[in-house]
Amino acid sequence: MRTLLKNPSQIVTVSTNGKNFKRGNELRDISILENHSLIFEKDRIIDFIPYGSISNESEYKIIDVKDKVLLPGLVECHTHTAFAGSRAKEFRSKLAGTSYEEIAKLGGGINTTVSAVRNASFDELVRLIIPRINYFISQGITSLEIKSGYGLDFGNEIKLLRVIHHLQKIFPITIIPTFLGAHAIPIEMKNNREAYLEEITHKMLPFIAENSLAKFCDGFCELTAFSTAEIDVIFSKAKSLGFDLKLHTDQFNAFGGIEVALNYDAVSVDHLEVIKENDIAQVADSDAAAVLLPGVSFFLNDGYAPARKLIDAGAIVALSTDYNPGSSNIANLNLIMSLAVLKMKMTIEETISAVTINAAKALKINEDVGSIEIGKKADFSVFNTNDYTDIVYNVGKNLNELTIKNGGVIYKNKNE
Ligand code: NIG
Ligand code: FE
């Protein structure tokens, strides 16, 4: 049976005319369709029709979205949702003046979360993560990336990836696993970095490839984490095993991470708070998505990535929460969109492209999701307003009323 999504005030199609991403100026064009309803069958969009033009409505399943705004299902393309424990104590130190990098150098930061994850069982991790995913779904998110990176030894990285794999099976949304063994040097290997690198390249990566436990291999290129030469070694192995690549780079220091990532045709370069001028041009000329994470700048009270310059230069800019316990304890994508307009001078339309089609591009799922176009998946978020401006104007407030994934309603806001 076909479904009629009836009488929305606006369909924010984010149409790309089949190109499936938006670069530079294109981010501004989100192709609003008014006075139209939408038809889908099973999990695919099949048509847009003017209001009132269907005579045999009884043959359709009707979802009434009168006076609501229809968007593509939102895509959350960079998260560290698979964590245990709390970094509230370190949050206090940060408020008292110790920087994120100083905390990392003192053996805290990522390594604090690593101890908590190592002490947590598979079942405990699953229990902790379930409500976090439900929160994402309640916001209209239908595709979600989750990284490992808090195990940092063979057994615990595999445990995290297996947890993510299990969550993929129990949730109706698309969950994309990323291997982030190169997140930090685990504390016990502090004086033996080569051995940890070898564990990643010789043990973890081959096992993860063989068991299809991750789609992407990610790394953290930073003074407190991995050098460009180390990332090169990891990427070379990962690429040979068939992984697609992502890189956290230019967060606090810019020393060549972008060049390495682009050399390996990384699908995305993420952070870019301190990116250099000539690297802006390189990213803009490439097919890599620039994933910007203003929640980190907000949470750490640091500078923001030069979103305006990147977009004006022609980059494929995406936005994400970077939800994690240390640098962005923010799982609210709506707040991220508002930060992007208030702090990074993006337009409202650009933020919408950045959490839909371009976030999908950052996960290589953009052929299927991220825009409302005929033939694409019936993934939608339905907002309780008649004007999409309200989504970004209502800072931190969840206006999502319905989340639809593969043609099925998977969340309904009971307060509406
Ligand atoms: O994306 N930059 C490195 N990784 C995370 C932070 C993880 C943590 O502090 O736990 C990030 O900001
Ligand atoms: Fe991150």
Side-chain angles (χ1 to χ4, degrees), residues 40-176:
F40 61 84
E41 183 163 26
K42 296 200 183 102
D43 63 345
R44 296 282 165 181
I45 298 165
I46 60 172
D47 210 355
F48 302 96
I49 45 141
Y51 285 173
S53 59
I54 287 208
S55 50
N56 54 341
E57 274 196 13
S58 59
E59 289 171 23
Y60 288 78
K61 181 181 170 207
I62 308 284
I63 302 180
D64 186 354
V65 288
K66 187 169 164 27
D67 293 331
K68 318 271 181 205
V69 170
L70 192 60
L71 256 75
L74 305 184
V75 178
E76 172 46 285
C77 67
H78 177 144
T79 85
H80 304 257
T81 304
F83 66 86
S86 161
R87 306 247 287 273
K89 261 199 200 135
E90 293 178 3
F91 183 62
R92 280 189 172 278
S93 315
K94 273 196 297 253
L95 295 177
T98 316
S99 76
Y100 179 80
E101 282 175 289
E102 280 160 356
I103 291 170
K105 277 186 205 135
L106 295 168
I110 291 169
N111 269 301
T112 301
T113 304
V114 170
S115 322
V117 164
R118 287 179 178 178
N119 286 326
S121 68
F122 180 98
D123 289 347
E124 279 162 356
L125 286 163
V126 168
R127 228 182 8 254
L128 283 170
I129 300 169
I130 283 174
R132 298 174 188 158
I133 298 177
N134 279 324
Y135 180 52
F136 282 125
I137 291 173
S138 76
Q139 299 171 51
I141 288 161
T142 51
S143 303
L144 169 68
E145 187 250 21
I146 305 181
K147 300 176 196 297
S148 68
Y150 292 122
L152 303 192
D153 62 25
F154 180 83
N156 285 293
E157 281 296 305
I158 300 307
K159 176 175 76 180
L160 279 177
L161 290 171
R162 289 205 192 286
V163 164
I164 299 169
H165 192 73
H166 176 74
L167 294 163
Q168 274 178 323
K169 285 191 284 190
I170 61 177
F171 278 100
I173 60 167
T174 302
I175 295 180
I176 299 195

